[in-house]
Amino acid sequence: MNSGFLDKLIERLGRVRPEDVQGYLLRLADEKGFLETIFNAIHEGVIVTDVTGRISYLNRAACALFGLEREACMGEPLAERLRGLDWEKLMEAGEVVSRDMEVFYPQHRYLNFYIVPLSLDPVPAKRPRTDRPERVGYAVILRDITETRRSTEETIQSEKLTALTLLAAGVAHEIGNPLNSLHIHLQLMERKLRKVPAAARADLQKSLEVAREEITRLDSIVQQFLGAIRPARLEARLENVNALVQEAVAFLQPEIENRNILVEQELRSDLPLIKVDRNQLKQAFYNVIKNSFQAMRSGGLLRIRTDVDDSFVTISFADTGGGISPESMSKIFEPFFTTKASGTGLGLLIVRRIVREHGGEIDLASDEGHGLTLTIRLPLRNQVARMLEAGTP
């Protein structure tokens, strides 16, 4: 509000004629409405409280960020409306305080907020100049930093994968060659073992098979590690995603029967053809399905569903396993992180790499103790990058 107008009004308050009061009030209302319009137009949230922390004003953006109703909040303590905000502790500093916070309702967002003490300067004509400004409340300014935070996380993840790629080259060289040598020597040992009497051969043959299996397992881990982080050239052609899902399930049918797992397929019949690398996408489906099998006990249910909207073909895999804890959700795509006793922690990393190379996205929804739903979204067209017209938001 115009401070010059207010100062003049205060100075003349004792001389204001009754017939002029209405004019002053109308001018104050106009200025208040003008400021209200401005505050509601900005994207940042603004909340004003009194010295005790009770809400005296909040703009439209603040209501949207926290899912609040303005009239219901007026006069209420801010700490009660924003659960998890330790208002008393924040006020102890007595100066500008800046913090980041995570909110889950009405949408999952990351916000940066800073709290500014509000003081009212004394009126020179009425108070001595030595008086200090009177503290009248606080202003809380909120800014949505969700996209910035996600962009930072993606940059960090990209740097990690770059470092892992360099590491993978050294691992493949340093471990791959000794593994090949061990495999050759085991073959030589097996040939000589055939000349050993049958009575002594059984135990040695068993030890030889164990050694071969462990070498094969180590080689598989190295190959999975390389496959998870090494970029692969896509050989994309128009494919029917339903057919790829059916082929993946058919390939794993022996394991499905062995584990006594029920697989239900709800495949949308009018699914359009999209450009994908069939072999890589089938590999992603294998890994997701096998992860689901390993998370479920005998008699579990895996429901595979395909769908389409204006932008994406979606493939969702919903199992009845134990789900994933909130603490583990943030680590699920990290290399070598696994919740299984015998897992390598590379399966979902491979899935994400393949989906991202197709310009797609992955969503995870977990109900701990009841199951996990993994959804792959593949673009109908190549949407890795697109040029925006001038002025397009």
Side-chain angles (χ1 to χ4, degrees):
M1 196 169 293
N2 190 313
S3 61
F5 170 70
L6 279 178
D7 289 343
K8 291 178 181 178
L9 178 60
I10 292 171
E11 289 175 3
R12 300 174 183 176
L13 200 57
R15 305 193 301 272
V16 173
R17 296 177 300 173
E19 59 268 23
D20 295 332
V21 172
Q22 183 178 3
Y24 284 122
L25 290 177
L26 288 174
R27 182 169 177 182
L28 287 172
D30 287 342
E31 293 203 15
K32 180 178 181 297
F34 178 67
L35 290 176
E36 184 87 11
T37 301
I38 293 175
F39 278 119
N40 281 329
I42 62 177
H43 294 290
E44 286 74 15
V46 178
I47 301 176
V48 180
T49 75
D50 61 16
V51 290
T52 64
R54 292 183 178 274
I55 299 172
S56 55
Y57 173 81
L58 70 167
N59 70 345
R60 192 174 298 156
C63 293
L65 289 173
F66 296 110
L68 302 174
E69 294 184 8
R70 180 177 177 182
E71 297 304 323
C73 294
M74 301 303 290
E76 295 293 318
L78 180 61
E80 291 185 7
R81 292 294 175 173
L82 304 184
R83 300 293 183 182
L85 183 68
D86 192 344
W87 181 259
E88 296 298 331
K89 186 175 182 180
L90 291 171
M91 292 304 95
E92 287 177 0
E95 54 188 18
V96 176
V97 177
S98 179
R99 294 284 190 280
D100 289 348
M101 69 186 303
E102 183 179 11
V103 297
F104 299 92
Y105 178 84
Q107 293 182 10
H108 184 203
R109 290 187 176 106
Y110 292 96
L111 305 177
N112 171 261
F113 70 93
Y114 60 95
I115 302 173
V116 182
L118 300 178
S119 300
L120 186 64
D121 291 331
V123 180
K126 300 294 181 181
R127 302 179 186 176
R129 293 189 178 185
T130 55
D131 285 359
R132 293 183 178 181
E134 178 186 359
R135 180 69 52 83
V136 294
Y138 299 90
V140 183
I141 314 299
L142 302 129
R143 185 167 57 94
D144 191 340
I145 58 169
T146 305
E147 293 303 320
T148 302
R149 190 181 182 98
R150 286 176 180 168
S151 176
T152 302
E153 289 176 351
E154 288 176 2
T155 301
I156 293 172
Q157 188 65 30
S158 176
E159 292 174 352
K160 286 182 179 179
L161 288 179
T162 300
L164 283 172
T165 302
L166 296 174
L167 175 64
V171 168
H173 177 74
E174 297 298 330
I175 296 182
N177 288 341
L179 287 179
N180 289 333
S181 179
L182 286 170
H183 188 69
I184 292 171
H185 281 80
L186 284 177
Q187 289 179 333
L188 295 174
M189 291 172 63
E190 188 173 23
R191 292 176 187 174
K192 293 182 179 180
L193 191 61
R194 294 170 186 166
K195 301 177 182 179
V196 175
R201 188 188 309 164
D203 289 340
L204 292 174
Q205 184 68 36
K206 184 177 180 180
S207 298
L208 197 66
E209 289 175 359
V210 170
R212 183 182 288 114
E213 289 174 359
E214 290 302 307
I215 289 175
T216 301
R217 180 171 172 269
L218 285 171
D219 185 62
S220 174
I221 292 174
V222 172
Q223 294 306 316
Q224 284 189 63
F225 183 62
L226 289 171
I229 61 176
R230 183 172 53 197
R233 183 179 178 182
L234 294 181
E235 296 182 4
R237 295 183 177 85
L238 285 174
E239 301 285 352
N240 185 332
V241 171
N242 285 343
L244 300 183
V245 170
Q246 291 169 334
E247 290 176 22
V249 172
F251 180 78
L252 296 170
Q253 192 61 40
E255 187 171 353
I256 292 172
E257 295 174 356
N258 183 56
R259 291 178 177 271
N260 190 27
I261 298 294
L262 176 62
V263 177
E264 292 183 355
Q265 301 181 57
E266 301 175 8
L267 309 180
R268 181 163 171 169
S269 59
D270 62 343
L271 214 61
L273 302 179
I274 59 173
K275 275 195 171 184
V276 296
D277 185 313
R278 63 177 293 113
N279 292 326
Q280 290 200 41
L281 195 57
K282 281 170 65 176
Q283 182 187 8
F285 292 164
Y286 293 153
N287 286 340
V288 175
I289 294 172
K290 288 177 72 68
N291 267 6
S292 298
F293 290 168
Q294 293 167 3
M296 293 187 289
R297 297 178 180 177
S298 177
L301 170 65
L302 172 63
R303 181 176 287 109
I304 305 175
R305 183 173 180 269
T306 60
D307 203 352
V308 64
D309 58 24
D310 293 338
S311 303
F312 295 94
V313 167
T314 60
I315 311 99
S316 64
F317 302 82
D319 64 52
T320 56
I324 302 174
S325 67
E327 295 78 14
S328 298
M329 283 288 281
S330 61
K331 305 176 184 177
I332 197 66
F333 292 110
E334 291 184 3
F336 304 116
F337 176 81
T338 180
T339 57
K340 307 178 187 72
S342 58
T344 61
L346 294 171
L348 288 181
L349 189 64
I350 294 173
V351 174
R352 186 174 67 170
R353 193 263 300 164
I354 292 172
V355 171
R356 281 186 171 179
E357 287 180 355
H358 282 82
E361 304 168 355
I362 293 180
D363 285 336
L364 283 173
S366 176
D367 184 3
E368 190 175 6
H370 298 89
L372 175 77
T373 299
L374 184 147
T375 301
I376 295 174
R377 296 205 301 268
L378 300 172
L380 290 175
R381 294 162 293 278
N382 184 5
Q383 295 180 349
V384 175
R386 67 187 181 98
M387 186 67 71
L388 296 178
E389 298 294 336
T392 302

